[in-house]
Amino acid sequence: MALLLDTLGDRVLLGEAIPESCFSDWTGHAACRPLALVRPTSSEEVSRLLRLCHEHRRAVVPQGGMTGLAGAAVPNADSVAVSLSRFTGVESVDRDAATLTVRAGTTLEAVQNAAREAGFRYPVDFGARGSCHIGGTIATNAGGHGVIRHGMTRDQVLGLEVVLADGRILDLMNSMIKNNTGYDLKHCFIGAEGTLGIITRAVLRMAPPQGETHTLLCGLPNYKAAVALLHRLRGAGLALEAFEVMWQDFYTMSCDWRDSQPPLPTSHAIYVLCEAEGDANHLETALEAAIETGEVADAVLASNIPQAQALWAIREATGEFPLKLAPINFDISLPIPTIGDFVEAAGEMLQQRWTGISIVNFGHIGDSNLHLTVDGRSLAEDAPETHHAIEAEIYRLVGEYHGSISAEHGIGLLKRDFLHHSVRPEAMDVMRALKHTLDPNDILNPGKLLN
Amino acid sequence: MALLLDTLGDRVLLGEAIPESCFSDWTGHAACRPLALVRPTSSEEVSRLLRLCHEHRRAVVPQGGMTGLAGAAVPNADSVAVSLSRFTGVESVDRDAATLTVRAGTTLEAVQNAAREAGFRYPVDFGARGSCHIGGTIATNAGGHGVIRHGMTRDQVLGLEVVLADGRILDLMNSMIKNNTGYDLKHCFIGAEGTLGIITRAVLRMAPPQGETHTLLCGLPNYKAAVALLHRLRGAGLALEAFEVMWQDFYTMSCDWRDSQPPLPTSHAIYVLCEAEGDANHLETALEAAIETGEVADAVLASNIPQAQALWAIREATGEFPLKLAPINFDISLPIPTIGDFVEAAGEMLQQRWTGISIVNFGHIGDSNLHLTVDGRSLAEDAPETHHAIEAEIYRLVGEYHGSISAEHGIGLLKRDFLHHSVRPEAMDVMRALKHTLDPNDILNPGKLLN
């Protein structure tokens, strides 16, 4: 500690001075006061910190806005937490190149605002935008709304600056689209959850602002029809901004929670909420054809913004889950054609073992992403074993379907012991070898992602 | 050799039986007969080959369609060349997921055809499509036409199967868009030019077929106006399929080579050939505004396919360069706002040192990519030192402009000694560490990309 204070002085907080906000993330999992909290104000200070911790084999836990959902930023009592919250700001906006250069501690919202002020948009978006750090979104390869059109955070990153475990500063601050000069090292650090280096700066792409969009809710006979509709809309000369599939149980429950009349009757097996940019005629032509073939049984097109918001409110019932259900949430991916079968198989499997349990489902199907929620109200309270058993069963089934146990939230602590369902042993070995090469003393976020 | 024949039998060719086509790539650089040519018919055979070569520390040079432009697939006399030409075919097409599963030896054209037959397109395209292997396009992260809209090859790859240097088969055959389960290892092998593993299979994304497109040629007062036009068109609700910028020297020369009247007078400083999908009204509105602000001085919109082809013929004069010039070609990237200045600086620098030399320029500016061609007719013949000196000067200048010495062709042998102009020493060290981790005996394409 004396060395740490010598090296980084007033950047260091100890004991009671460490704010509780850095004890755990949004899951509240395993909250713990770290040995120290260091808040560097430059890449060089991050470098000095890591060099010291590397020499003394002291664990370092990188922290962003603490909005993670997998426990990747949770410290333990022996670790030094490092927060980039004092290394913030958009360093430059380049309208000609359509790029932004940002510091890791900048919030996602500040990045979005800077892009908007320049006449663009930064297309990654999700609920935690006001708190999460852009560095954290890169370290976790965050998804959220808009992935169907713009891709994940990885797809927005052109360049990175990363401090390696031994304190070396790795300058990968590329701003070019085409650049085939050797291994594209930035991809090692994107989505690595702070286990291979600490991201300090980034060059990000901006997208043009959103044009006129249309919002549509459809009732469909089955999941297969939803996949057919996705295919049809993709070929209709439109830019799909969202394609949210809600299963009947989800739709019915959400409509029950609202005062108003459901926009479509609750009798359909599947509902699709779709947002598309482009020519309204293209959308109407595609929709007519879908109705003719029976893919779509019924549909309502929002004719103004309040109507569109009312349609979105049905899908956004997920925000009410913590209050109204005892939710166990899953963020999983599956090959698109199999998602319908998976939902049925998961429901049956859970019912057989835990009678009376129910699941509600929606998914960003165009991105292969299913958000399955188990309503745990019928289970005994305080049953972490049951919770864990349900997770184990669902992730085992995900593995059988060749799916991914983490679509967008990452692995962290909470999914680490299930990783083998989605990653083969040889790949796990290569991950470990990469970790050992870049962090031989295992100081960077040890125990996260890999065990 | 006896061991090799024992292990792989009739997959092995020796001595005179080895076809000349595997001695060098399209550059003809350093042509050499390898010790042996092995043509495995499965991933398991690739695995057996590599296990053997790993044990005996024998260099292995992976080969695709031999259409590379950087010498990455050129063997030497002590190495075993391995060609995937007998491991071919599209294994499956999944219309619901919009994905293809392919073997590495399949030609790009066969992949494009399979996508087309399924009602999609595989959007990577360039001249070598009929010969190059899809595995080679992944190993070199090929670019080509369409990058402005669809990205590089890297952006099409969802999953890979790779055989590691020691023969382990790494199954990364993901087919999902969202999959955050640890380090995304496929990116280590994409663009690594066969130095970290041999790619044997891949899962690729397909795009919807191209819709109605419009082709437009504009004359502009300067490079800055071209960047402004790019920005304007991107915000006009159109999907840009191409944005090809030709400097006056290029345009004038190309028009001279054609019989017909130039579509626009040769008096403009910059010409932009643009192809856009979407509403013609949007394009016309944007164009009118660009004319009003002075960004665009003159323009012609093709009203039918032959007219569009005639406009493209001007840009495609590059195909005649080898016959009509003594071209020294550069495939470089630069930050978009600086490309205009770079072209001027490069021209002046070359003129000062080699009086009478000229350059012709065009670029995929939306991708940061400049194709600068030095016309070497004024230089003495058979002057490899001059050729090398010109390369050294251009790449040095690229480094000064924080550009990339390889936009899309890769490093291979031909650019290896210039790599330090675009890659910092720390990054080079990390590349070497990664290489040593994955290929400790340095058998995979030794001496390529890194030295």
Side-chain angles (χ1 to χ4, degrees):
Chain A
M1 281 312 100
L3 268 172
L4 191 62
L5 288 166
D6 282 357
T7 308
L8 287 149
D10 64 358
R11 314 304 189 220
V12 182
L13 296 180
L14 299 172
E16 294 296 318
I18 300 173
E20 276 191 36
S21 56
C22 82
F23 292 5
S24 186
D25 64 11
W26 272 12
T27 64
H29 182 77
C32 178
R33 184 188 304 275
L35 196 63
L37 172 67
V38 182
R39 294 178 297 177
T41 62
S42 68
S43 307
E44 288 65 34
E45 288 184 356
V46 176
S47 167
R48 268 151 57 199
L49 171 66
L50 290 195
R51 198 174 304 124
L52 186 70
C53 292
H54 176 73
E55 278 168 22
H56 295 270
R57 297 179 178 256
R58 172 65 65 189
V60 174
V61 178
Q63 297 190 331
M66 303 307 283
T67 63
L69 295 172
V74 177
N76 65 32
D78 292 326
S79 63
V80 172
V82 52
S83 166
L84 276 287
S85 57
R86 289 191 175 181
F87 190 51
T88 63
V90 174
E91 291 185 352
S92 63
V93 180
D94 189 330
R95 291 181 76 245
D96 289 347
T99 59
L100 287 156
T101 302
V102 300
R103 291 174 178 161
T106 316
T107 63
L108 172 58
E109 190 165 59
V111 173
Q112 291 171 340
N113 289 342
R116 196 176 303 115
E117 280 161 26
F120 294 83
R121 62 171 162 161
Y122 181 67
V124 175
D125 189 39
F126 47 86
R129 69 184 72 81
S131 309
C132 68
H133 291 184
I134 197 77
T137 69
I138 299 169
T140 56
N141 187 28
H145 318 310
V147 171
I148 194 170
R149 179 161 185 193
H150 299 281
M152 304 284 280
T153 295
R154 182 183 302 278
D155 300 298
Q156 323 309 324
V157 178
L158 287 175
L160 283 184
E161 181 186 80
V162 182
V163 183
L164 297 175
D166 60 8
R168 276 178 296 166
I169 297 176
L170 192 62
D171 177 355
L172 309 169
M173 290 291 276
N174 168 66
S175 66
M176 294 165 288
I177 311 294
K178 283 186 178 173
N179 185 354
N180 275 346
T181 46
Y183 314 150
D184 198 346
L185 296 175
K186 66 175 177 282
H187 291 291
C188 293
F189 304 98
I190 301 170
E193 304 183 21
T195 62
L196 298 180
I198 296 185
I199 293 163
T200 45
R201 293 162 73 229
V203 183
L204 303 172
R205 302 176 78 159
M206 299 187 290
Q210 193 166 11
E212 195 195 354
T213 58
H214 314 285
T215 306
L216 177 73
L217 179 72
C218 303
L220 293 87
N222 50 49
Y223 176 75
K224 214 172 157 54
V227 176
L229 180 64
L230 174 65
H231 178 56
R232 181 184 296 282
L233 292 176
R234 276 189 161 146
L238 296 156
L240 280 183
E241 292 275 339
F243 191 88
E244 308 279 293
V245 174
M246 295 172 275
W247 273 254
Q248 188 173 21
D249 44 16
F250 183 106
Y251 181 81
T252 306
M253 190 175 68
S254 178
C255 287
D256 279 353
W257 291 351
R258 257 138 277 287
D259 289 337
S260 52
Q261 181 76 8
L264 292 176
T266 57
S267 53
H268 302 289
I270 295 285
Y271 296 80
V272 172
L273 178 64
C274 163
E275 204 167 273
E277 185 185 317
D279 189 333
N281 293 330
H282 291 180
L283 183 61
E284 280 162 24
T285 308
L287 185 58
E288 278 164 23
I291 289 172
E292 203 158 298
T293 59
E295 263 160 51
V296 169
D298 201 355
V300 52
L301 184 63
S303 57
N304 54 42
I305 291 173
Q307 280 185 16
Q309 286 170 337
L311 297 182
W312 271 101
I314 297 171
R315 151 62 190 85
E316 284 164 354
T318 42
E320 301 161 58
F321 281 8
L323 299 170
K324 294 183 169 160
L325 310 177
I328 309 171
N329 297 312
F330 290 89
D331 161 51
I332 55 187
S333 272
L334 296 146
I336 293 170
T338 70
I339 297 180
D341 291 344
F342 178 87
V343 165
E344 275 185 41
E348 282 168 23
M349 179 269 291
L350 291 170
Q351 270 294 341
Q352 275 179 10
R353 188 154 162 195
W354 293 280
T355 316
I357 207 170
S358 68
I359 55 175
V360 284
N361 298 284
F362 85 96
H364 318 290
I365 296 309
D367 312 331
S368 351
N369 189 187
L370 176 69
H371 288 288
L372 178 152
T373 300
V374 173
D375 179 4
R377 284 178 297 177
S378 68
L379 301 170
E381 276 182 44
D382 285 329
E385 297 81 16
T386 309
H387 189 114
H388 191 268
I390 289 172
E391 285 186 337
E393 285 300 304
I394 291 286
Y395 291 137
R396 185 191 52 71
L397 195 65
V398 168
E400 279 179 24
Y401 274 76
H402 304 287
S404 161
I405 65 154
S406 175
E408 54 186 7
H409 295 170
I411 301 300
L413 276 178
L414 292 169
K415 294 190 176 183
R416 190 192 63 184
D417 297 337
F418 302 111
L419 188 56
H420 64 278
H421 289 304
S422 291
V423 178
R424 300 291 181 93
E426 299 81 17
M428 209 87 92
D429 288 345
V430 175
M431 285 188 198
R432 288 204 184 88
L434 189 57
K435 168 72 174 169
H436 187 70
T437 300
L438 290 173
D439 181 17
N441 292 353
D442 195 23
I443 64 159
L444 279 171
N445 224 359
K448 308 288 172 58
L449 202 155
L450 293 168
N451 56 12
Chain B
M1 281 311 102
L3 267 173
L4 191 61
L5 288 167
D6 283 355
T7 309
L8 286 149
D10 65 357
R11 314 304 190 223
V12 183
L13 296 179
L14 299 172
E16 294 297 318
I18 301 173
E20 277 191 34
S21 57
C22 82
F23 293 4
S24 187
D25 63 12
W26 272 11
T27 64
H29 182 75
C32 177
R33 184 188 303 276
L35 194 63
L37 172 68
V38 183
R39 296 178 295 177
T41 63
S42 67
S43 307
E44 288 66 32
E45 288 183 357
V46 177
S47 167
R48 267 149 58 195
L49 171 68
L50 291 194
R51 200 174 302 125
L52 186 70
C53 293
H54 177 72
E55 278 168 20
H56 295 270
R57 294 177 180 258
R58 172 66 61 188
V60 174
V61 178
Q63 296 191 330
M66 303 307 284
T67 62
L69 295 171
V74 177
N76 65 32
D78 293 326
S79 62
V80 172
V82 52
S83 165
L84 276 286
S85 57
R86 290 191 173 180
F87 190 52
T88 63
V90 175
E91 292 184 352
S92 63
V93 180
D94 188 330
R95 292 181 77 244
D96 290 346
T99 60
L100 287 156
T101 303
V102 300
R103 291 174 179 160
T106 316
T107 64
L108 172 58
E109 192 165 57
V111 173
Q112 291 172 340
N113 290 342
R116 198 176 302 114
E117 281 161 25
F120 293 84
R121 64 172 161 162
Y122 181 67
V124 175
D125 189 39
F126 48 87
R129 68 183 74 80
S131 308
C132 69
H133 292 184
I134 198 78
T137 68
I138 298 169
T140 56
N141 188 27
H145 319 309
V147 172
I148 194 170
R149 179 162 183 192
H150 299 281
M152 305 284 279
T153 295
R154 184 185 300 280
D155 300 299
Q156 323 309 324
V157 178
L158 287 175
L160 283 184
E161 181 186 78
V162 182
V163 183
L164 296 175
D166 60 9
R168 276 179 296 166
I169 298 177
L170 192 61
D171 176 355
L172 309 168
M173 290 290 275
N174 168 65
S175 66
M176 294 164 287
I177 311 296
K178 284 187 177 173
N179 185 354
N180 275 346
T181 45
Y183 312 152
D184 198 346
L185 297 175
K186 66 174 178 282
H187 290 292
C188 293
F189 304 97
I190 300 169
E193 303 183 22
T195 63
L196 298 180
I198 296 185
I199 293 163
T200 45
R201 294 162 72 230
V203 183
L204 303 172
R205 300 174 80 158
M206 300 187 290
Q210 194 166 11
E212 195 194 354
T213 58
H214 314 285
T215 307
L216 177 73
L217 179 72
C218 303
L220 294 86
N222 50 49
Y223 176 76
K224 215 173 155 54
V227 177
L229 180 63
L230 174 65
H231 178 56
R232 182 184 295 282
L233 292 176
R234 279 191 158 145
L238 296 157
L240 279 182
E241 292 275 339
F243 191 87
E244 308 280 294
V245 174
M246 295 172 275
W247 273 253
Q248 188 173 21
D249 43 16
F250 183 107
Y251 181 80
T252 306
M253 190 176 69
S254 177
C255 288
D256 278 354
W257 291 350
R258 257 135 278 286
D259 290 337
S260 53
Q261 179 77 8
L264 292 176
T266 58
S267 53
H268 301 290
I270 295 284
Y271 296 80
V272 173
L273 178 64
C274 164
E275 204 167 274
E277 184 185 317
D279 189 334
N281 293 329
H282 290 180
L283 183 60
E284 281 162 24
T285 306
L287 185 59
E288 278 165 24
I291 290 172
E292 202 157 299
T293 60
E295 265 161 48
V296 169
D298 202 354
V300 51
L301 184 63
S303 58
N304 54 43
I305 291 172
Q307 280 186 17
Q309 285 169 339
L311 297 181
W312 271 101
I314 298 171
R315 152 64 189 85
E316 283 163 356
T318 43
E320 301 162 58
F321 281 7
L323 300 170
K324 295 184 168 161
L325 309 176
I328 309 171
N329 297 314
F330 291 89
D331 161 52
I332 54 187
S333 274
L334 296 145
I336 293 170
T338 69
I339 296 180
D341 291 344
F342 178 88
V343 166
E344 276 186 40
E348 283 168 20
M349 180 269 289
L350 291 170
Q351 271 295 342
Q352 277 180 10
R353 188 153 163 195
W354 293 279
T355 316
I357 207 169
S358 69
I359 55 173
V360 283
N361 299 284
F362 87 94
H364 318 290
I365 296 309
D367 312 331
S368 352
N369 188 186
L370 176 69
H371 287 287
L372 178 152
T373 299
V374 174
D375 180 5
R377 284 178 297 179
S378 67
L379 301 169
E381 276 183 40
D382 285 331
E385 297 81 15
T386 310
H387 189 114
H388 190 267
I390 289 172
E391 285 186 336
E393 286 300 306
I394 292 285
Y395 292 136
R396 186 190 50 71
L397 196 65
V398 169
E400 278 179 23
Y401 274 76
H402 305 289
S404 162
I405 65 155
S406 176
E408 53 187 9
H409 295 171
I411 300 301
L413 276 176
L414 291 168
K415 295 190 174 184
R416 191 192 61 184
D417 297 337
F418 302 112
L419 188 55
H420 63 280
H421 289 303
S422 292
V423 178
R424 300 292 180 92
E426 299 82 15
M428 210 88 93
D429 289 344
V430 174
M431 285 189 199
R432 288 204 182 89
L434 189 57
K435 168 74 174 168
H436 186 70
T437 300
L438 290 173
D439 180 17
N441 293 351
D442 195 22
I443 65 158
L444 280 172
N445 225 359
K448 309 290 171 55
L449 201 156
L450 293 168
N451 57 10

